[in-house]
Amino acid sequence: MASSDVARQLQDKNVRPLSLSGHVGFDSLPDQLVNKSTCQGFCFNILCIGETGIGKSTLMDTLFNTNFENFESSHFEPKVKLRAQTYDLQESNVRLKLTIVNTVGFGDQMNKQESYQHIVDYIDTQFESYLQEELKIKRSLHNYHDSRIHACLYFIAPSGHSLKSLDLVTMKKLDSKVNIIPVIAKADTISKSELHKFKIKIMSELVSNGVQIYQFPTDDETVAKINTAMNGHLPFAVVGSTEEVKIGNKMVKARQYPWGVVQVENENHCDFVKLREMLICVNMEDLREQTHTRHYELYRRCKLEEMGFKDTDPESKPVSLQQTYEAKRQEFLGELQKREEEMRQMFVQRVKEKEAELKEAERELQGKFEQLKRLRQEEKNKLDEKAKMLEDEMNAFSKRKAAAELLQAQSFSTNVNIKKDKDRKK
């Protein structure tokens, strides 16, 4: 037993019952609550899940006896989209802010593995928005538009065989997040005997796959009898229509076929009246309460536990929010310092590695420089040798040229002398 339950029991034992000797007036508290709630109004959010064309919009129009703004959807949506529309309704002096969320393109994709993920994300987003409002220092929950889903009408195709694997997977993913009420859509397309077998088959598959659907509460004596009976009629086989047909002396909502008329509000024809009574007239407040106390609390607890908040320490002693906050703060600061140290060490290591790379590159460049210097010296030596050889050749050539010129001059002089001697002899 939790420590809070023990403390509550001890506190109850210390409470002394007293009798009143006269009228005080606190018996008017229920009336005060009714008046306050009536002035504030109510909100109710319905999620409709089902394949395109199964009759989700028509059933909503029939349930609330009006015509909502509907959009035509094709079978070629690339992914599942959730379209939320909010309306202000009033019946007598009670105002209701109704939000209808429709799944557009559900089950139309070739790959249906992630069809449910967009729905799960949407529901979690509404929980997260409410949680963020709760955690604010300056809260305004009385003015906050609560968009959490209170009821999920899951439309099942009237195949008469069994649930699709997509239906089972989707409901299994959602049963801990929302109140699921399965309905067999377009129930006028299946015979009465087949419909009875289909209902039994559906409930059997839900139980065998561990899917928890919403059960109408039986702890309140005023509604225990009717809710117990209605739990046995799940899933409801419904027919929706806003068209009015004259039956006898009155106009009724019905679907007219060549073979006859299916009356929407005739319980011998379908379970529409049962669904409307259970969803709106009898259990709407319980659906709102279950959403807050069960599904939202589960999300809130898991979210806070992920953040490290706990009610008790390892020794099962109560821990205040301030203590948890300080502990998480110190843990965060320690983790931050640790990461800073790791980053500093990583930075130093990378600097060292970079310096080593630069030194290695410098050594390689120095080696290349020395090699080029040596090659240049060798080339220079070769050029010097060639220049010396060329100079020697030029000197030798000059000497030969001078000797040749001298020899030529001597030869010319000799010829001149010979010529002179010949001339004298003549």
Side-chain angles (χ1 to χ4, degrees):
M1 184 179 295
S3 58
S4 59
D5 296 335
V6 175
R8 191 180 301 111
Q9 288 185 0
L10 293 174
Q11 186 177 2
D12 291 341
K13 290 180 180 179
N14 295 328
V15 175
R16 294 168 53 193
L18 293 176
S19 59
L20 304 176
S21 58
H23 182 262
V24 176
F26 58 76
D27 59 349
S28 66
L29 270 174
D31 297 329
Q32 297 176 35
L33 289 174
V34 169
N35 294 333
K36 184 177 180 181
S37 299
T38 303
C39 292
Q40 291 180 347
F42 302 88
C43 72
F44 193 66
N45 307 317
I46 302 177
L47 171 64
C48 299
I49 302 178
E51 61 190 40
T52 305
I54 204 170
K56 302 185 291 295
S57 300
T58 303
L59 183 65
M60 289 297 102
D61 291 346
T62 313
L63 273 175
F64 291 93
N65 201 22
T66 187
N67 290 316
F68 296 112
E69 185 180 6
N70 297 319
F71 299 90
E72 292 186 3
S73 302
S74 68
H75 289 273
F76 304 101
E77 296 291 341
K79 63 179 182 179
V80 178
K81 299 178 182 177
L82 281 90
R83 181 186 294 136
Q85 296 170 278
T86 302
Y87 308 92
D88 285 324
L89 308 179
Q90 183 165 348
E91 188 175 33
S92 299
N93 64 334
V94 178
R95 291 181 296 107
L96 178 67
K97 182 175 284 188
L98 176 68
T99 299
I100 299 176
V101 184
N102 194 7
T103 53
V104 180
F106 179 77
D108 290 340
Q109 295 75 32
M110 292 294 292
N111 183 7
K112 298 179 174 61
Q113 295 297 324
E114 297 183 357
S115 295
Y116 61 85
Q117 190 59 48
H118 299 285
I119 304 174
V120 173
D121 294 340
Y122 179 85
I123 296 174
D124 286 344
T125 300
Q126 313 318 309
F127 283 154
E128 183 64 25
S129 299
Y130 193 88
L131 177 61
Q132 291 301 322
E133 184 65 28
E134 270 194 334
L135 295 177
K136 286 182 180 179
I137 297 176
K138 188 177 180 180
R139 302 184 299 179
S140 57
L141 290 174
H142 61 286
N143 293 327
Y144 177 76
H145 178 210
D146 187 2
S147 58
R148 296 173 298 177
I149 300 299
H150 300 120
C152 170
L153 294 182
Y154 197 98
F155 289 72
I156 300 170
S159 63
H161 301 293
S162 61
L163 289 171
K164 299 177 182 178
S165 58
L166 176 61
D167 296 331
L168 288 171
V169 171
T170 303
M171 283 192 274
K172 184 63 178 175
K173 293 292 183 180
L174 296 178
D175 63 359
S176 63
K177 298 178 179 294
V178 70
N179 301 311
I180 300 176
I181 302 176
V183 295
I184 301 173
K186 297 183 177 180
D188 53 343
T189 61
I190 186 172
S191 68
K192 200 166 186 178
S193 59
E194 289 178 341
L195 182 61
H196 180 70
K197 295 177 182 178
F198 191 35
K199 283 188 175 185
I200 296 174
K201 180 70 172 177
I202 289 173
M203 294 305 295
S204 174
E205 290 182 342
L206 292 177
V207 172
S208 61
N209 286 275
V211 178
Q212 300 292 326
I213 64 173
Y214 174 72
Q215 294 289 313
F216 303 118
T218 57
D219 50 353
D220 186 352
E221 295 180 358
T222 57
V223 295
K225 185 175 181 180
I226 185 173
N227 279 348
T228 301
M230 291 300 104
N231 282 329
H233 284 86
L234 290 172
F236 293 131
V238 297
V239 176
S241 176
T242 56
E243 179 185 354
E244 291 192 344
V245 178
K246 188 173 183 180
I247 304 294
N249 295 325
K250 62 178 182 179
M251 301 296 291
V252 297
K253 290 184 175 64
R255 298 187 72 88
Q256 193 166 17
Y257 297 97
W259 45 263
V261 176
V262 177
Q263 300 178 37
V264 172
E265 295 179 331
N266 188 334
E267 295 192 47
N268 292 323
H269 291 185
C270 69
D271 296 332
F272 172 79
V273 174
K274 295 183 178 66
L275 174 63
R276 185 176 59 189
E277 290 289 321
M278 291 297 98
L279 179 66
I280 300 175
C281 303
V282 180
N283 298 300
M284 179 178 279
E285 180 55 30
D286 184 73
L287 287 163
R288 287 158 38 90
E289 183 181 350
Q290 286 290 321
T291 298
H292 182 77
T293 60
R294 181 187 169 195
H295 301 298
Y296 169 69
E297 283 299 320
L298 176 62
Y299 176 85
R300 175 180 173 275
R301 185 176 73 244
C302 294
K303 200 70 176 179
L304 292 178
E305 286 177 351
E306 288 178 5
M307 297 168 62
F309 292 96
K310 295 182 180 180
D311 294 330
T312 58
D313 60 12
E315 298 178 357
S316 299
K317 294 181 180 180
V319 179
S320 66
L321 183 63
Q322 181 66 24
Q323 290 175 321
T324 305
Y325 172 77
E326 287 297 331
K328 292 300 294 182
R329 181 173 177 275
Q330 294 300 325
E331 181 182 348
F332 173 76
L333 291 176
E335 184 68 21
L336 183 62
Q337 291 177 355
K338 182 180 177 182
R339 293 185 65 180
E340 286 179 351
E341 180 63 23
E342 290 177 353
M343 292 179 67
R344 190 186 66 80
Q345 293 179 358
M346 186 180 299
F347 176 76
V348 172
Q349 180 66 26
R350 287 186 176 179
V351 169
K352 290 181 178 179
E353 292 176 356
K354 198 66 179 177
E355 288 180 349
E357 290 178 3
L358 291 174
K359 289 181 179 179
E360 181 65 26
E362 185 180 1
R363 284 195 296 270
E364 290 179 0
L365 289 174
Q366 186 65 30
K368 289 181 180 179
F369 175 74
E370 294 294 336
Q371 183 179 4
L372 291 173
K373 186 178 179 181
R374 187 173 58 255
L375 292 174
R376 176 182 174 279
Q377 188 63 38
E378 291 177 357
E379 291 293 331
K380 185 176 180 299
N381 294 337
K382 289 180 180 179
L383 290 174
D384 290 342
E385 290 179 359
K386 288 183 178 181
K388 186 179 180 182
M389 292 175 61
L390 181 60
E391 186 178 359
D392 293 343
E393 289 179 358
M394 289 175 63
N395 292 333
F397 176 77
S398 298
K399 290 179 179 180
R400 287 196 299 272
K401 181 179 178 182
E405 290 176 349
L406 180 61
L407 183 61
Q408 185 178 3
Q410 291 176 355
S411 175
F412 178 76
S413 178
T414 304
N415 291 334
V416 169
N417 292 331
I418 294 172
K419 186 176 179 183
K420 287 179 178 181
D421 291 340
K422 286 181 178 180
D423 290 338
R424 282 195 299 267
K425 288 179 178 181
K426 289 179 178 181

